[in-house]
């Protein structure tokens, strides 16, 4: 017997979904979030406007899913931070890489648009926290708990607070463009946080 | 001789300016930033639309000035943080008060709107940094330098970094609604930062 393949309509739907999400990301980069329209997404993706309205409730929702698709790994596996046993080196490497990613226009424009929407839309903020922030936070927390077990961070420190203090100044500087998001800043942040939560803190 | 008074047109202009800025803040609170229009501001302030367009280049610019007006003290004096000699107590008091202010709807809606605009408008972001963030940062820096002189913070610590680590997690939590902005969180933040920058840090 031949292996079962998905029916044509399912494959066609998946192709349309990918085309819509790709078109959304491209258009945000090209025209900005404010001038992004469902019409333009439909035209670029080669689908009817009604297809988009059937699957998404708002422009913000399409943008959200277009970014979520970026963070989904092809093998369906979860996110994990590197763990070489040296928490200082690992955090600096990961945050330097993130800083580079945040200055890439293809990534920068859509994530900035999403942040704008989140600030004014509590429902979207909740979806963001659940689907994007939570898995990322879990990965960061796992790496920090490993550092606690290795005696590199105080065992009784609140991991959520460590994440806030480590990442908020980084995100804030990017979001408000208040200063350069460079290696020097990243390293100073990591050093500060490791000092605040070192095992022998009084 | 009678004291000179400003000509009628100057006083009328100032009255219109105050009416426009007040109407802007009221309307943001009532209808939200997205649905705020120049027409509605003009109607509420009792001025013509053209008056607003003559003085401001965009909706974002009016909103910005309406908030700036809030932070201008009537006597024209600068901002200063309390200095009782105990930096821990002073920072906790100021940040707890700010947290309460940030949960007041009359303040919350316009400042959230402004933050949205800033994220997407580099020019407005620059104006915000220059006119609002800079004086606030200078006041915070002055209080922290006083703590350095009093031996409560490491004398060689980077004051800008201290401000980032102290305030960014606070702003971020409020902006993204990622958790309660309560006394417990404020106190934990202050404790963390004082630990990271204490004078005897190794």
């Amino acid at each position: 017997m031949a292996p079962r393949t998905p029916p044509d309509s399912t494959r066609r739907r998946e192709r349309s979904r990918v085309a819509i999400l790709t078109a959304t990301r491209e258009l945000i980069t090209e025209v900005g979030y404010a001038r992004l329209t469902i019409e333009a997404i439909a035209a670029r993706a080669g689908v009817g406007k009604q297809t988009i309205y059937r699957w998404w409730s708002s422009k913000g929702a399409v943008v959200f899913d277009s970014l979520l698709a970026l963070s989904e790994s092809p093998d369906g596996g979860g996110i994990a931070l590197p763990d070489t046993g040296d928490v200082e080196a690992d955090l600096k490497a990961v945050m330097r890489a993130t800083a580079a990613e945040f200055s890439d226009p293809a990534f920068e424009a859509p994530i900035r648009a999403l942040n704008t929407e989140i600030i004014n839309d509590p429902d979207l903020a909740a979806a963001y926290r659940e689907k994007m922030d939570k898995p990322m936070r879990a990965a960061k927390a796992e790496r920090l708990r490993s550092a606690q077990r290795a005696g590199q961070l105080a065992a009784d420190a609140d991991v959520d607070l460590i994440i806030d203090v480590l990442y908020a100044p980084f995100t804030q500087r990017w979001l408000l463009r208040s200063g350069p998001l460079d290696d020097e800043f990243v390293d100073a942040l990591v050093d500060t946080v490791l000092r605040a939560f070192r095992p022998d803190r009084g």
Side-chain angles (χ1 to χ4, degrees), chain A residues 49 56 72 85 101 106 123 128 146 175:
Chain A
K49 249 169 49 174
W56 288 280
E72 281 165 356
E101 194 184 39
D123 292 339
Y128 169 79
S146 162
L175 215 50

Side-chain angles (χ1 to χ4, degrees), chain A residues 79-154:
Chain A
I79 318 156
L81 261 58
D83 192 346
T84 67
D86 179 345
V87 71
E88 180 186 334
D90 289 351
L91 289 178
K92 285 180 180 174
V94 165
M95 292 181 74
R96 283 171 173 220
T98 308
E101 194 184 39
F102 272 42
S103 55
D104 172 357
F107 177 84
E108 217 255 336
I111 201 86
R112 192 172 284 278
L114 178 65
N115 270 281
T116 311
E117 287 298 290
I118 285 170
I119 290 172
N120 292 297
D121 182 340
D123 292 339
L124 198 61
Y128 169 79
R129 276 198 303 278
E130 188 59 32
K131 292 193 186 173
M132 297 182 92
D133 192 45
K134 210 167 150 184
M136 275 309 303
R137 265 192 110 87
K140 292 166 187 168
E142 185 42 47
R143 182 62 193 89
L144 294 171
R145 275 192 294 267
S146 162
Q148 287 179 312
R149 287 189 298 269
Q152 296 172 348
L153 284 172

Side-chain angles (χ1 to χ4, degrees), chain A residues 11-12 23 37 44 54 78 83 91 93 111 116 118 128-129 154-157 182-183:
Chain A
R11 277 180 291 160
R12 200 163 50 233
T37 62
R44 173 77 58 105
R54 197 156 54 232
D83 192 346
L91 289 178
I111 201 86
T116 311
I118 285 170
Y128 169 79
R129 276 198 303 278
D156 63 342
D182 53 16
D183 291 353

